[in-house]
Amino acid sequence: WPWLAVLAVASCLVVIGLGLLGGPSAAPVPERTATVSVGQGDTLSSLAARFAPDSDPAAVVARIEDLNRLDGAVLVPGLPLTVPVAGTVPAP
């Protein structure tokens, strides 16, 4: 039984190590914001991908909802929204 315990601990350490070193982690949600106009067919997810492409999309969407006090509101083309931006603001 001692070898079984050693094997279990070694397996756990390997899994933890792979989890820590396994892949690139998403960048934090940018602090800088810009006001953009919602385009035809835009969604919060598409805005998150466009303006903060290296960040976790779900975290960026949550930040957009928080910044604009959205709670399930429908996005209307032309609606101004404050969004977190990484780098320069891409052209529409």
Side-chain angles (χ1 to χ4, degrees):
W1 288 101
W3 62 270
L4 188 56
V6 169
L7 184 60
V9 169
S11 296
C12 288
L13 291 175
V14 168
V15 169
I16 291 170
L18 290 175
L20 294 175
L21 303 174
S25 60
V29 176
E31 290 293 322
R32 192 169 76 99
T33 62
T35 301
V36 299
S37 183
V38 173
Q40 185 69 33
D42 276 345
T43 64
L44 292 180
S45 295
S46 69
L47 292 171
R50 186 179 327 144
F51 294 105
D54 296 329
S55 299
D56 174 28
V60 177
V61 166
R63 181 75 173 129
I64 294 171
E65 290 173 335
D66 184 51
L67 287 168
N68 296 283
R69 295 182 177 92
L70 300 175
D71 53 353
V74 175
L75 296 183
V76 178
L79 177 73
L81 282 182
T82 302
V83 298
V85 293
T88 59
V89 178

